Every structure is written in structure tokens, then in C-alpha cells.
Amino acid sequence: MDISQALKIVARTDPGMVRSQNEDAVFANPQRGFVVLADGMGGYNAGEVASGMATTVLGTELDKAFAQRPPHERVAGGKLWAHAALEAEIARANGAIYQAALSQPQYAGMGTTLVAAVFHDNSLTVAHIGDSRLYRLRGEEFQQITRDHSLLQEQIDSGMLTPEEAKHSQNKNLVTRALGVDPTVEPEIRDYEVRVGDVYLLCSDGLNDMVDDGEIGMTLSALAANLELCATQLIQMANDNGGRDNVSVILVKVAGDFGVPRGIASWLARLLAWLK
């Protein structure tokens, strides 16, 4: 099945109940099977600039990269093209944001979190920086796939805080990695198998700081058949609980198989494409 038919995608962003500016940005490319979410930081409108630059650069350049060759192809060293393209374009976005911050005083110190998901050949390649997250609902199991690059996560990992204590910490928004703050940045990039029926949620911390994981999971389970309603409900829940930050969600439901044909199936697929 063509990837644009195999994936159902909904992307939403909302300023929340407290902030006048929306420093989050979302991007979806159903034809190429990838989505990007960024949560900006910085004074004035600098956070909005950083997240907008991140989604624009990645959205434009990944589209070009995957038009050049499909994400599942192997390149030098056996690396997936999805990995190579994400590394290259994240570095490009990082450089663009960093240089803008250096050259324009009003943008000094700006940066953004990032989570990007590329679907290809019944697989998923995820790149993330900071504390924007990717979750997966598979059957009745709802789990966080990414691990925050944050002071809070480091405190949990070291045993200084329990996950329960972390919910009430004052250090929720201190990230240990961000896009555009330093000349170089190291994204965390991982691959996962995908199954038909999976629902993936990318979100800024404006959602998971306001709504606990259990409620998010129950909402996805109840409304997975209607992604538009599900996205609306998740944002509403965050706002009902105070909406102290901008809230962004991208939902991706896997509606069909999008494996790459191999062998005789591949030859037939190419023949049919040529005959069209």
C-alpha cells in the first residue's frame, strides 16, 4: 500500500491558556511519510522563530532527500538513508538557528526541542532532541518511546528522584540538549518495527506536563478511530488542566501495510508503475 494511504495523520498546535505566543511548530508530509514537531525557547518571539526554522528546514530538506532516494535504502557503511538524511538535515537546521541567534541580538540564546518520525518499509525511524516526546499505542499497551534529554530524566535515572516525585519537580523544563543552542548537536536516532493498528503520538511538554500518561493513553485508546477528535480532546484536556504552556500533538495511525515489495513482487510493482 502507498504510504500516504497506509498512514492517517493529524497535526495540531494550540497556544494554551496562559501564553499569548505559540512557540511550538508542527509539520506533516503524508506523501513522504514523515512528521516533525518542535517546541521553541527564547525571549520575545525567539522561540517561535527557532521552532519555525526547525520545522521549515526539516520539512523542506527531508522532502528533497526522500525524493532523491527512499528512506529504507542503505547508504555508505550500511546506514539507512533515513538516518543519514535526518543527521544531515538536523545539523543544517542547528546551524541555521545558531547563526541566526549569533547575528541578531533579539534571538540570542534561542533554541528548540525536536522530535521527528520517518515511516518507511513497515518501520519507524525517530530522531529527537530535548523533551518533546513520541508515544506508541499498540493494542492496549501505551508507552513512551523516546527518553527525555532533561535534567529531570537524569535525576530519575540516577535515583535522585522517583518518577512520582518528578511529577512535582520545579525542574520540569530544563533540557540538557536543544537544537540551535550550540554549534553542533547530537540527535538521538533509533529504529522501531511498525504494526498495522499502531497509533503514534508526538507531543510537546505542554501536553504531558498537564495530562498524565494514563489519561493520554486512555484517550488514545477510546478515540483512535477518530484522530481529529482525539487531537482536539488531548489539547482540550491540557487546557482544562491549566494550559500553562503551548500544546502540540501529531497523531499517526498505521492503517495498512507499507512494506517495500521484494523479489518478484518488486518486479511486478515496477512493471505496473511503468504501464501506468
Side-chain angles (χ1 to χ4, degrees), residues 6-67:
L7 303 178
K8 308 299 181 191
I9 302 174
V10 170
R12 293 276 182 81
T13 186
D14 187 89
M17 303 302 290
V18 174
R19 301 191 176 188
S20 55
Q21 294 280 116
N22 189 348
E23 298 191 329
D24 289 0
V26 293
F27 179 89
N29 185 326
Q31 285 70 40
R32 302 275 182 218
F34 72 89
V35 293
V36 184
L37 183 148
D39 178 356
M41 59 196 85
Y44 303 104
N45 67 337
E48 187 177 346
V49 171
S51 63
M53 288 178 72
T55 52
T56 299
V57 169
L58 281 167
T60 303
E61 299 303 327
L62 288 177
D63 182 64
K64 291 179 189 173
F66 298 145

Side-chain angles (χ1 to χ4, degrees), residues 178-241:
L179 190 70
V181 174
D182 295 307
T184 61
V185 69
E186 186 180 347
E188 189 171 333
I189 305 179
R190 299 189 183 276
D191 299 303
Y192 303 90
E193 53 123 9
V194 168
R195 297 181 191 170
V196 175
D198 284 354
V199 181
Y200 294 86
L201 165 67
L202 292 77
C203 68
S204 60
D205 63 353
L207 177 67
N208 54 269
D209 277 357
M210 294 286 101
V211 185
D212 69 43
D213 284 10
E215 288 184 90
I216 295 172
M218 283 191 291
T219 304
L220 253 66
S221 294
L223 299 175
N226 187 335
L227 293 190
E228 295 277 357
L229 181 59
C230 189
T232 299
Q233 182 63 23
L234 288 170
I235 289 171
Q236 189 62 51
M237 289 162 69
N239 286 336
D240 287 348
N241 289 349

